[in-house]
Amino acid sequence: HSQAGYAAVPLSPPHSDPQIREAEAYLQANFPRGVSIDQLARAVSMSPRNLIRRFKAATGRLPGEYVQALRVAAARELLEGGAASVQEICTKIGYEDPAFFRRIFKRHTGVGPAEYRSRYASMSFDRHAG
């Protein structure tokens, strides 16, 4: 099933590079299963080297950093939703190692996944009430 709904928040500033917008859309649709630079480059008809250079210029991030941000955004949404375990979330968003996921999550959010859930899960329920 598609994870594209997790990428609702723009991860890069607006830019005018249509091939890089296409690359961003490809990453949003495929981030849980992992995408190599070669796969991404083929998907948008660019050389890997040109893709990396233009992606960084357009988004301010390297493609791997962009994927990490997508995965953290998806994890945040799943943690706010409440029920899934950190292990389940880790697997669902494309990480195999929960310890690595926790480090990445903390680097991006300032807190670990469990603390994030305890802080923000109730806010998520309040948002959907009414």
Side-chain angles (χ1 to χ4, degrees):
H1 71 305
S2 173
Q3 302 286 320
Y6 297 123
V9 176
L11 296 176
S12 65
H15 59 83
S16 59
D17 190 327
Q19 277 183 292
I20 298 306
R21 279 198 302 267
E22 187 179 338
E24 288 178 279
Y26 187 86
L27 289 174
Q28 290 169 4
N30 294 288
F31 74 86
R33 64 173 201 253
V35 176
S36 73
I37 292 295
D38 288 339
Q39 288 172 310
L40 183 59
R42 278 193 305 275
V44 296
S45 304
M46 297 174 76
S47 72
R49 185 176 176 168
N50 192 35
L51 168 68
I52 291 168
R53 181 184 58 77
R54 284 177 51 190
F55 198 97
K56 173 79 171 167
T59 69
R61 301 173 194 235
L62 294 170
E65 294 168 339
Y66 191 89
V67 168
Q68 276 189 357
L70 284 169
R71 288 176 170 175
V72 169
R76 289 169 75 154
E77 185 171 315
L78 290 166
L79 288 163
E80 289 170 17
S85 72
V86 171
Q87 175 65 51
E88 290 170 325
I89 291 170
C90 177
T91 302
K92 187 175 247 185
I93 64 170
Y95 288 120
E96 295 177 16
D97 180 358
F100 179 73
F101 163 64
R102 284 182 181 92
R103 282 194 304 274
I104 294 295
F105 191 88
K106 188 167 186 171
R107 185 181 311 147
H108 281 260
T109 65
V111 296
E115 185 176 346
Y116 184 89
R117 181 188 314 235
S118 68
R119 282 188 189 180
Y120 298 106
S122 62
M123 294 172 116
S124 172
F125 297 123
D126 293 343
R127 234 185 323 182
H128 298 300

